[in-house]
DNA sequence: GCATGATCATGC
DNA sequence: GCATGATCATGC
């Protein structure tokens, strides 16, 4: 309470446990919820623990060495999912480059956290929500190995004078997310004159989802690709993946199926094979590492002509939803920015068979994400009465952004068929659409080394 | 050969 | 039944 000094982690935990089940309305002594100012996290800090919120590099309870995190989750038909990333502390470009992981601001601040979880229900009044679990959390060694590599990736980019090129997709669990009133909040960086966006250490939504499921709610552990985390002391996660796959490079699809047994005609069959090659029994996307890092496998077939025939689709959007979003909150940005894509590349041989050529872990560079943003903004602008439809033989042409108009992305239909439609605010009916990454763009990514 | 619109096949 | 990842088909 007011003035209470919590000396030990156990004392902080005890106070956290006492908060379970109390509606935020009852907890709130300063009327924050009523005024709409400040999130529930602030209410818990101020009214329940009795201290002033800070975002500096010290943990919230310095004597106990514990940082407090109040974090929401949502339930859907597929279970429980973190509602948002968990933000730690600001990244001080001027000082962090000179540290080790152990002495970093992130480690000092978030090495031990008290995680208070609550279910976010969109239609409920915030005051009715309440904390349901209090968990003292330290990163398990196997996660820490990946987080340390992530931290080093961020530090190395600062050292290389590339803080302005940081993006969430650079890393697996720990990310450098933009932070500030606007993304335009700029900071100086020590090794380049170019100003960089202010960023904070954060745990990605996908990793938070696993923390909640596995460590807070005690769900069954997900299958691991890497059994022995000590491997990660010497090699990056990517290097371990590549090493496991090396024996199968050059194999045809038929030979791979012969090796692993079974067969599938599914369009995702190449991704299935990838799971077998990595020695995973269940779906690859369900493994702890892929799940936590939000790695998105994409199979790519390169034709004899060196061309990739198909562009890469994303889930269909609805124009009504597009108009409600800002770029910062948009589904498209969320699908791209924190995501690592695992390209599984098969190349067509002279006999027409496709052979595994390589795999590549990739995330979209910041400047290309900006180009996607322009395409997104043009689409959004057109949605307000600007879409023109023009029947042409058996197809209906439109004026949405085309592949020929951007080096990176375009918009195209993506429904079950022509009867699978969406409606514009002005009542115009057109086939469901989605954003695509241009096949030319994917070719460029895979050509670059 | 390529861009664009249209549709397929699977898994949940 | 539907969303999703992936591929097909037409016309220039």
């Amino acid at each position: 309470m007011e003035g209470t000094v919590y000396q030990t982690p156990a004392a902080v935990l005890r106070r956290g446990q006492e908060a379970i089940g109390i509606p935020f309305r009852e907890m709130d002594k300063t009327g924050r919820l009523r005024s709409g100012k400040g999130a529930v996290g602030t209410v818990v800090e101020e009214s329940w623990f009795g201290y002033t919120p800070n975002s500096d590099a010290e943990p919230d309870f310095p004597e106990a060495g514990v940082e407090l995190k109040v974090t929401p989750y949502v339930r859907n038909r597929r279970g429980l999912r973190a509602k948002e990333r968990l933000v730690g502390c600001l990244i001080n470009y001027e000082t962090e480059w000179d540290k080790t992981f152990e002495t970093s601001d992130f480690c000092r601040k978030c090495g031990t956290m008290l995680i208070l979880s609550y279910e976010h229900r969109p239609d409920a009044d915030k005051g009715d929500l309440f904390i349901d679990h209090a968990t003292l959390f330290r990163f398990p060694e196997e996660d820490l190995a990946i987080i340390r590599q992530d931290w080093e990736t961020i530090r190395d980019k600062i050292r290389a004078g590339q803080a302005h090129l940081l993006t969430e997709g650079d890393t697996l669990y720990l990310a450098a997310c933009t932070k500030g009133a606007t993304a335009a909040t700029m900071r100086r960086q020590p090794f380049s004159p170019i100003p960089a966006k202010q960023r904070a250490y954060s745990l990605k939504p996908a990793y938070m989802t696993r923390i909640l499921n596995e460590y807070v709610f005690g769900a069954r552990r997900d299958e691991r690709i890497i059994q022995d985390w000590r491997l990660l002391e010497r090699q990056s996660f990517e290097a371990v993946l590549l090493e496991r796959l090396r024996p199968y490079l050059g194999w045809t699809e038929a030979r791979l199926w012969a090796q692993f047994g079974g067969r599938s005609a599914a369009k995702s069959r190449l991704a299935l094979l990838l799971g077998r090659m990595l020695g995973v029994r269940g779906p690859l996307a369900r493994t702890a590492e892929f799940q936590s890092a939000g790695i998105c496998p994409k199979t790519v077939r390169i034709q004899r002509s060196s061309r990739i025939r198909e562009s890469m689709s994303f889930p269909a959007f609805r124009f009504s939803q597009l108009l409600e979003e800002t770029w910062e909150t948009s589904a498209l940005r969320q699908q791209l920015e924190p995501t690592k894509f695992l390209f599984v590349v098969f190349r067509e041989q002279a006999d027409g068979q496709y052979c595994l050529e390589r795999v590549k872990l990739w995330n979209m560079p910041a400047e290309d994400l900006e180009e996607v943003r322009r395409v997104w903004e043009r689409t959004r602008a057109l949605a307000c009465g600007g879409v023109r439809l023009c029947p042409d033989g058996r197809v209906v042409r439109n004026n949405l952004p085309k592949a020929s108009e951007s080096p990176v992305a375009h918009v195209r239909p993506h429904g079950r068929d022509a009867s699978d439609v969406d409606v514009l605010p002005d009542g115009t009916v057109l086939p469901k659409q989605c954003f695509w990454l241009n096949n030319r763009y994917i070719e460029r990514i895979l050509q670059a080394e």
Side-chain angles (χ1 to χ4, degrees), chain A residues 201-230:
Chain A
Y201 291 115
S202 67
L203 299 175
K204 291 194 189 187
Y207 180 60
M208 276 311 293
T209 293
R210 187 159 68 79
I211 288 186
L212 285 166
N213 277 298
E214 217 168 271
Y215 304 117
V216 173
F217 283 78
R220 197 170 51 83
R221 275 168 62 97
D222 289 313
E223 191 174 4
R224 255 77 177 169
I225 298 172
I226 298 176
Q227 306 302 331
D228 181 3
W229 60 265
R230 286 181 206 86

Side-chain angles (χ1 to χ4, degrees), chain A residues 79-152:
Chain A
L80 185 151
R81 177 174 66 74
K83 179 167 175 283
E84 50 206 45
R85 56 179 56 67
L86 185 140
V87 177
C89 54
L90 288 175
I91 304 176
N92 187 336
Y93 300 131
E94 304 279 2
T95 56
E96 200 73 344
W97 64 272
D98 197 22
K99 296 184 176 168
T100 64
F101 178 65
E102 281 69 22
T103 62
S104 67
D105 286 349
F106 173 74
C107 238
R108 201 151 52 103
K109 175 115 173 151
C110 299
T112 304
M113 295 186 287
L114 177 67
I115 295 181
L116 303 180
S117 61
Y118 69 93
E119 182 178 358
H120 169 85
R121 298 194 307 271
D123 37 358
D125 186 302
K126 259 188 186 174
D128 291 331
L129 304 179
F130 56 88
I131 288 159
D132 52 30
H133 287 75
T135 310
L136 210 50
F137 180 81
R138 291 190 189 86
F139 296 100
E141 288 288 0
E142 65 232 51
D143 293 355
L144 208 53
I146 288 180
I147 288 172
R148 177 182 283 109
Q149 288 183 358
D150 287 340
W151 182 84
E152 286 168 357

Side-chain angles (χ1 to χ4, degrees), chain A residues 6-18 49 63-66 112 114 136 138:
Chain A
Y6 296 91
Q7 298 287 351
T8 64
V12 179
L13 174 61
R14 211 172 305 122
R15 181 68 182 155
Q17 284 167 334
E18 287 166 6
F49 283 94
E63 294 81 5
V66 175
T112 304
L114 177 67
L136 210 50
R138 291 190 189 86

